[in-house]
Amino acid sequence: MKASRVLIDHGSGGLATKELIEKIFLKRLSNRYLSRLEDSAVLDGKSSGRIALTTDSYVVDPIFFPGGDIGSLSVHGTINDLAMQGARPVALTLGLILEEGLLMEELEQVATSIASASLDAGVPVVTADTKVVPCGKADKIFINTSGIGMVPEGISLGADRARPGDVVLVSGFIGDHGAAIMTSRANLSFSSGINSDSAPLHRLVERLLDRCPGNEMRLFRDPTRGGLATVLNEIAQASRVRIAIDEGAIPVRAEVISICELLGLDPLYLANEGKLVTVAARECADQALEAMKETEEGKHAAIIGEIMEVKKAPGPRVTIKTGIGGTRIVSMLAGEPLPRIC
Amino acid sequence: MKASRVLIDHGSGGLATKELIEKIFLKRLSNRYLSRLEDSAVLDGKSSGRIALTTDSYVVDPIFFPGGDIGSLSVHGTINDLAMQGARPVALTLGLILEEGLLMEELEQVATSIASASLDAGVPVVTADTKVVPCGKADKIFINTSGIGMVPEGISLGADRARPGDVVLVSGFIGDHGAAIMTSRANLSFSSGINSDSAPLHRLVERLLDRCPGNEMRLFRDPTRGGLATVLNEIAQASRVRIAIDEGAIPVRAEVISICELLGLDPLYLANEGKLVTVAARECADQALEAMKETEEGKHAAIIGEIMEVKKAPGPRVTIKTGIGGTRIVSMLAGEPLPRIC
């Protein structure tokens, strides 16, 4: 591979594609499924339980940012989408759209990052596809990762399962990913020191389901695009409840608050890529909190609010008790404060 | 939805995204999985057999072409990747990357086409994701479809299973898709009358496996990018055999030959999106041919060659007996004669 950039030929499906795949991807991601280079991967062993299936395309800009890159993000994000349904992630697919002219070195770096995230999470990439479009028809690299997982017997989760009296928890500091992307894009003259929180959450979910095994965990959601506020609104709508949040209880880093004040944004709407929101039955809330705090990814977890009955108009909603004692309604994100956050 | 174009806001993950998904996609694609709008779909019922998993990104240009569009193509292509492993397609995922400014009318047309192809094939889209990138950072619409299928017990297929004495078959006219895209892109001053062959092949595969149930069907491949020549080379390499093809036996439309002569291309390297290549044990070859000919998608099927032992250098290869009696080696596609064919 003498070319130091991706060429249109690399997307031909012929020799150049084969070379690209072998030298960049198979070298790093090799496993018995991917190495066969068939049209699809056939997984060994019989499956048990129900199958969970998810897909996500990643178009984050810039492709490298503090705390991660588009490669690790695409692995973590898809694993998390499976985990939020209580599924144990089994395998990932990798669909690459490369812009002609992309530096081969950057592609290698992304491939290394995918391999490392996949290995670390214990979820292999079993099948892949590569396309190349002419310069100016994409932006460096777009990645789609789809994934399958198995939902163990007896798991019943859903955004519609929150009940009055239940407790709302978040697994740690919110807004880190959004703030990290924003500051790396804005070319701020200072280093914010904020890293993306990009991380896989399947082990945290498994631990919570082990600790509260009787369907006390009502649902899991990862507040990505649209942030905590949007996810809470989705839960309120689906469960037909009011969610009452205590602003002071939400874990937010001081640096993130500063950046938000500087740029006129609200941490409640910033994307997260390694946090989950969960609703737990009150009798299991403390155990759930404790279970999270024992882990690296959940050590800053907190109880942030509770589920209330909807008694009158305006119906399902999210309210927040502010630091100065008032209460306001938190709406869903309407527009896009920050495009291409993931 | 007053806007007649896709806006950056439609990718926010908030209200605008919700509206786009509901009005454009759920209206057309609604099913009990997709309608839940969860992070991943959990399929009902226990699975049986082995799971096949595949992914493909579609970047075809133009997005509408004679005989199909990027929507139908993305459904057929992924179903076919599953079918080539003998899997019965179960569910699809849909990952959209939209360029800001895309006409809403065009997006609706693509969504309608996806819905129609999915319904016709009997394979639902169960989970989806939508991203929007700024104008000039993509080209109208890129689609990733991943899919899962179930491989019934006892099926054993692979590019490495061709044996000397076996017979090579193709399910119909080759090169139609490539020729259709090429002529619609070249703005030729005449209408070529060639339509893409884009079609789902899972029913054809199922029929072949029913008719020749004792592993006489060695493998299936759909000759997409790189065409028939590239697929035959992959089989020769994987099975360590020589494949001897009879040029006169390959079904090619006269219009495709004309277009190829005009543009200096070889039909053997043109993409197909509704054809399969298969290798069958000699004792089942006639039955396989007959089984294909009984179907709409296989009615122009033909036996095009046979598998030979590799006796000496240069090792595994594909040779073709030409119309005038000579024999030449057919190599894999080296470069890209036609970018963004799928």
Side-chain angles (χ1 to χ4, degrees), chain A residues 148-170:
Chain A
I148 60 165
M150 288 295 165
V151 182
E153 294 289 336
I155 301 286
S156 176
L157 297 163
D160 57 353
R161 298 192 64 253
R163 293 287 166 268
D166 288 352
V167 172
V168 183
L169 299 96
V170 65

PDB file of all heavy atoms in Angstrom, chain A residues 148-170:
ATOM      1  N   ILE A 148     -25.814  -6.890  17.210  1.00  0.00           N
ATOM      2  CA  ILE A 148     -26.842  -7.764  17.771  1.00  0.00           C
ATOM      3  C   ILE A 148     -26.442  -8.172  19.176  1.00  0.00           C
ATOM      4  O   ILE A 148     -25.259  -8.216  19.526  1.00  0.00           O
ATOM      5  CB  ILE A 148     -27.114  -9.035  16.932  1.00  0.00           C
ATOM      6  CG1 ILE A 148     -25.872  -9.903  16.792  1.00  0.00           C
ATOM      7  CG2 ILE A 148     -27.683  -8.696  15.574  1.00  0.00           C
ATOM      8  CD1 ILE A 148     -26.215 -11.291  16.289  1.00  0.00           C
ATOM      9  N   GLY A 149     -27.460  -8.438  19.962  1.00  0.00           N
ATOM     10  CA  GLY A 149     -27.238  -8.890  21.323  1.00  0.00           C
ATOM     11  C   GLY A 149     -28.325  -9.873  21.694  1.00  0.00           C
ATOM     12  O   GLY A 149     -29.266 -10.077  20.935  1.00  0.00           O
ATOM     13  N   MET A 150     -28.150 -10.502  22.836  1.00  0.00           N
ATOM     14  CA  MET A 150     -29.147 -11.441  23.315  1.00  0.00           C
ATOM     15  C   MET A 150     -29.735 -10.914  24.616  1.00  0.00           C
ATOM     16  O   MET A 150     -28.993 -10.572  25.542  1.00  0.00           O
ATOM     17  CB  MET A 150     -28.506 -12.809  23.589  1.00  0.00           C
ATOM     18  CG  MET A 150     -28.132 -13.550  22.325  1.00  0.00           C
ATOM     19  SD  MET A 150     -29.615 -13.980  21.389  1.00  0.00           S
ATOM     20  CE  MET A 150     -28.852 -14.403  19.824  1.00  0.00           C
ATOM     21  N   VAL A 151     -31.039 -10.873  24.665  1.00  0.00           N
ATOM     22  CA  VAL A 151     -31.720 -10.434  25.878  1.00  0.00           C
ATOM     23  C   VAL A 151     -32.046 -11.667  26.708  1.00  0.00           C
ATOM     24  O   VAL A 151     -32.779 -12.546  26.257  1.00  0.00           O
ATOM     25  CB  VAL A 151     -33.023  -9.678  25.542  1.00  0.00           C
ATOM     26  CG1 VAL A 151     -33.701  -9.189  26.816  1.00  0.00           C
ATOM     27  CG2 VAL A 151     -32.735  -8.515  24.602  1.00  0.00           C
ATOM     28  N   PRO A 152     -31.460 -11.762  27.922  1.00  0.00           N
ATOM     29  CA  PRO A 152     -31.708 -12.951  28.743  1.00  0.00           C
ATOM     30  C   PRO A 152     -33.195 -13.081  29.088  1.00  0.00           C
ATOM     31  O   PRO A 152     -33.931 -12.099  29.092  1.00  0.00           O
ATOM     32  CB  PRO A 152     -30.887 -12.691  30.009  1.00  0.00           C
ATOM     33  CG  PRO A 152     -29.909 -11.620  29.654  1.00  0.00           C
ATOM     34  CD  PRO A 152     -30.564 -10.800  28.584  1.00  0.00           C
ATOM     35  N   GLU A 153     -33.590 -14.291  29.386  1.00  0.00           N
ATOM     36  CA  GLU A 153     -34.973 -14.569  29.820  1.00  0.00           C
ATOM     37  C   GLU A 153     -35.370 -13.646  30.974  1.00  0.00           C
ATOM     38  O   GLU A 153     -34.564 -13.384  31.862  1.00  0.00           O
ATOM     39  CB  GLU A 153     -35.062 -16.015  30.348  1.00  0.00           C
ATOM     40  CG  GLU A 153     -34.844 -17.101  29.325  1.00  0.00           C
ATOM     41  CD  GLU A 153     -35.999 -17.206  28.342  1.00  0.00           C
ATOM     42  OE1 GLU A 153     -37.125 -16.796  28.695  1.00  0.00           O
ATOM     43  OE2 GLU A 153     -35.746 -17.695  27.220  1.00  0.00           O
ATOM     44  N   GLY A 154     -36.589 -13.231  30.959  1.00  0.00           N
ATOM     45  CA  GLY A 154     -37.135 -12.541  32.127  1.00  0.00           C
ATOM     46  C   GLY A 154     -36.890 -11.045  32.174  1.00  0.00           C
ATOM     47  O   GLY A 154     -37.378 -10.364  33.072  1.00  0.00           O
ATOM     48  N   ILE A 155     -36.119 -10.538  31.238  1.00  0.00           N
ATOM     49  CA  ILE A 155     -35.843  -9.095  31.230  1.00  0.00           C
ATOM     50  C   ILE A 155     -37.005  -8.374  30.555  1.00  0.00           C
ATOM     51  O   ILE A 155     -37.410  -8.740  29.459  1.00  0.00           O
ATOM     52  CB  ILE A 155     -34.557  -8.781  30.437  1.00  0.00           C
ATOM     53  CG1 ILE A 155     -33.351  -9.512  31.029  1.00  0.00           C
ATOM     54  CG2 ILE A 155     -34.322  -7.276  30.342  1.00  0.00           C
ATOM     55  CD1 ILE A 155     -32.850  -8.941  32.303  1.00  0.00           C
ATOM     56  N   SER A 156     -37.514  -7.363  31.236  1.00  0.00           N
ATOM     57  CA  SER A 156     -38.601  -6.593  30.648  1.00  0.00           C
ATOM     58  C   SER A 156     -38.345  -5.122  30.912  1.00  0.00           C
ATOM     59  O   SER A 156     -38.503  -4.638  32.030  1.00  0.00           O
ATOM     60  CB  SER A 156     -39.924  -7.046  31.262  1.00  0.00           C
ATOM     61  OG  SER A 156     -40.966  -6.260  30.778  1.00  0.00           O
ATOM     62  N   LEU A 157     -37.872  -4.419  29.891  1.00  0.00           N
ATOM     63  CA  LEU A 157     -37.508  -3.017  30.036  1.00  0.00           C
ATOM     64  C   LEU A 157     -38.260  -2.208  28.994  1.00  0.00           C
ATOM     65  O   LEU A 157     -38.587  -2.714  27.935  1.00  0.00           O
ATOM     66  CB  LEU A 157     -36.006  -2.838  29.786  1.00  0.00           C
ATOM     67  CG  LEU A 157     -35.036  -3.529  30.728  1.00  0.00           C
ATOM     68  CD1 LEU A 157     -33.651  -3.600  30.105  1.00  0.00           C
ATOM     69  CD2 LEU A 157     -34.987  -2.786  32.058  1.00  0.00           C
ATOM     70  N   GLY A 158     -38.494  -0.948  29.276  1.00  0.00           N
ATOM     71  CA  GLY A 158     -39.126  -0.108  28.260  1.00  0.00           C
ATOM     72  C   GLY A 158     -39.339   1.295  28.783  1.00  0.00           C
ATOM     73  O   GLY A 158     -39.559   1.499  29.993  1.00  0.00           O
ATOM     74  N   ALA A 159     -39.273   2.257  27.879  1.00  0.00           N
ATOM     75  CA  ALA A 159     -39.467   3.660  28.249  1.00  0.00           C
ATOM     76  C   ALA A 159     -40.863   3.884  28.831  1.00  0.00           C
ATOM     77  O   ALA A 159     -41.109   4.877  29.506  1.00  0.00           O
ATOM     78  CB  ALA A 159     -39.255   4.560  27.037  1.00  0.00           C
ATOM     79  N   ASP A 160     -41.759   2.936  28.596  1.00  0.00           N
ATOM     80  CA  ASP A 160     -43.140   3.083  29.093  1.00  0.00           C
ATOM     81  C   ASP A 160     -43.351   2.429  30.461  1.00  0.00           C
ATOM     82  O   ASP A 160     -44.479   2.319  30.930  1.00  0.00           O
ATOM     83  CB  ASP A 160     -44.116   2.490  28.068  1.00  0.00           C
ATOM     84  CG  ASP A 160     -43.805   1.019  27.760  1.00  0.00           C
ATOM     85  OD1 ASP A 160     -42.759   0.500  28.238  1.00  0.00           O
ATOM     86  OD2 ASP A 160     -44.595   0.394  27.035  1.00  0.00           O
ATOM     87  N   ARG A 161     -42.270   2.006  31.122  1.00  0.00           N
ATOM     88  CA  ARG A 161     -42.441   1.254  32.368  1.00  0.00           C
ATOM     89  C   ARG A 161     -42.204   2.064  33.647  1.00  0.00           C
ATOM     90  O   ARG A 161     -42.253   1.514  34.748  1.00  0.00           O
ATOM     91  CB  ARG A 161     -41.563  -0.011  32.362  1.00  0.00           C
ATOM     92  CG  ARG A 161     -41.963  -0.969  31.215  1.00  0.00           C
ATOM     93  CD  ARG A 161     -41.338  -2.339  31.346  1.00  0.00           C
ATOM     94  NE  ARG A 161     -41.794  -3.037  32.537  1.00  0.00           N
ATOM     95  CZ  ARG A 161     -41.090  -3.249  33.633  1.00  0.00           C
ATOM     96  NH1 ARG A 161     -39.844  -2.824  33.711  1.00  0.00           N
ATOM     97  NH2 ARG A 161     -41.605  -3.882  34.657  1.00  0.00           N
ATOM     98  N   ALA A 162     -41.941   3.370  33.524  1.00  0.00           N
ATOM     99  CA  ALA A 162     -41.768   4.187  34.728  1.00  0.00           C
ATOM    100  C   ALA A 162     -43.117   4.367  35.423  1.00  0.00           C
ATOM    101  O   ALA A 162     -44.125   4.598  34.763  1.00  0.00           O
ATOM    102  CB  ALA A 162     -41.187   5.541  34.350  1.00  0.00           C
ATOM    103  N   ARG A 163     -43.127   4.216  36.766  1.00  0.00           N
ATOM    104  CA  ARG A 163     -44.372   4.309  37.536  1.00  0.00           C
ATOM    105  C   ARG A 163     -44.219   5.349  38.638  1.00  0.00           C
ATOM    106  O   ARG A 163     -43.131   5.489  39.206  1.00  0.00           O
ATOM    107  CB  ARG A 163     -44.701   2.953  38.187  1.00  0.00           C
ATOM    108  CG  ARG A 163     -45.046   1.837  37.235  1.00  0.00           C
ATOM    109  CD  ARG A 163     -46.436   2.030  36.620  1.00  0.00           C
ATOM    110  NE  ARG A 163     -46.620   1.135  35.480  1.00  0.00           N
ATOM    111  CZ  ARG A 163     -46.350   1.438  34.205  1.00  0.00           C
ATOM    112  NH1 ARG A 163     -45.886   2.631  33.897  1.00  0.00           N
ATOM    113  NH2 ARG A 163     -46.559   0.578  33.231  1.00  0.00           N
ATOM    114  N   PRO A 164     -45.291   6.025  38.993  1.00  0.00           N
ATOM    115  CA  PRO A 164     -45.206   6.994  40.096  1.00  0.00           C
ATOM    116  C   PRO A 164     -44.577   6.349  41.327  1.00  0.00           C
ATOM    117  O   PRO A 164     -44.912   5.206  41.669  1.00  0.00           O
ATOM    118  CB  PRO A 164     -46.675   7.375  40.334  1.00  0.00           C
ATOM    119  CG  PRO A 164     -47.314   7.207  38.985  1.00  0.00           C
ATOM    120  CD  PRO A 164     -46.634   6.008  38.380  1.00  0.00           C
ATOM    121  N   GLY A 165     -43.667   7.074  41.952  1.00  0.00           N
ATOM    122  CA  GLY A 165     -42.944   6.539  43.099  1.00  0.00           C
ATOM    123  C   GLY A 165     -41.556   6.041  42.738  1.00  0.00           C
ATOM    124  O   GLY A 165     -40.676   5.957  43.588  1.00  0.00           O
ATOM    125  N   ASP A 166     -41.346   5.705  41.470  1.00  0.00           N
ATOM    126  CA  ASP A 166     -40.020   5.240  41.033  1.00  0.00           C
ATOM    127  C   ASP A 166     -38.994   6.379  41.124  1.00  0.00           C
ATOM    128  O   ASP A 166     -39.347   7.549  41.202  1.00  0.00           O
ATOM    129  CB  ASP A 166     -40.069   4.744  39.582  1.00  0.00           C
ATOM    130  CG  ASP A 166     -40.806   3.418  39.425  1.00  0.00           C
ATOM    131  OD1 ASP A 166     -41.151   2.809  40.450  1.00  0.00           O
ATOM    132  OD2 ASP A 166     -41.040   3.019  38.274  1.00  0.00           O
ATOM    133  N   VAL A 167     -37.737   5.970  41.079  1.00  0.00           N
ATOM    134  CA  VAL A 167     -36.636   6.903  41.276  1.00  0.00           C
ATOM    135  C   VAL A 167     -35.788   6.992  39.995  1.00  0.00           C
ATOM    136  O   VAL A 167     -35.590   5.994  39.309  1.00  0.00           O
ATOM    137  CB  VAL A 167     -35.773   6.414  42.469  1.00  0.00           C
ATOM    138  CG1 VAL A 167     -34.494   7.217  42.608  1.00  0.00           C
ATOM    139  CG2 VAL A 167     -36.603   6.486  43.758  1.00  0.00           C
ATOM    140  N   VAL A 168     -35.330   8.200  39.685  1.00  0.00           N
ATOM    141  CA  VAL A 168     -34.530   8.427  38.472  1.00  0.00           C
ATOM    142  C   VAL A 168     -33.060   8.562  38.845  1.00  0.00           C
ATOM    143  O   VAL A 168     -32.711   9.340  39.736  1.00  0.00           O
ATOM    144  CB  VAL A 168     -34.985   9.706  37.735  1.00  0.00           C
ATOM    145  CG1 VAL A 168     -34.192   9.900  36.444  1.00  0.00           C
ATOM    146  CG2 VAL A 168     -36.475   9.684  37.470  1.00  0.00           C
ATOM    147  N   LEU A 169     -32.206   7.795  38.171  1.00  0.00           N
ATOM    148  CA  LEU A 169     -30.765   7.856  38.444  1.00  0.00           C
ATOM    149  C   LEU A 169     -29.996   8.145  37.164  1.00  0.00           C
ATOM    150  O   LEU A 169     -30.434   7.775  36.063  1.00  0.00           O
ATOM    151  CB  LEU A 169     -30.265   6.525  39.010  1.00  0.00           C
ATOM    152  CG  LEU A 169     -30.863   6.035  40.323  1.00  0.00           C
ATOM    153  CD1 LEU A 169     -32.003   5.060  40.039  1.00  0.00           C
ATOM    154  CD2 LEU A 169     -29.807   5.377  41.196  1.00  0.00           C
ATOM    155  N   VAL A 170     -28.852   8.766  37.327  1.00  0.00           N
ATOM    156  CA  VAL A 170     -27.939   8.953  36.200  1.00  0.00           C
ATOM    157  C   VAL A 170     -26.579   8.412  36.635  1.00  0.00           C
ATOM    158  O   VAL A 170     -26.227   8.482  37.814  1.00  0.00           O
ATOM    159  CB  VAL A 170     -27.906  10.435  35.744  1.00  0.00           C
ATOM    160  CG1 VAL A 170     -27.330  11.342  36.813  1.00  0.00           C
ATOM    161  CG2 VAL A 170     -27.152  10.598  34.440  1.00  0.00           C
TER     162      VAL A 170
END
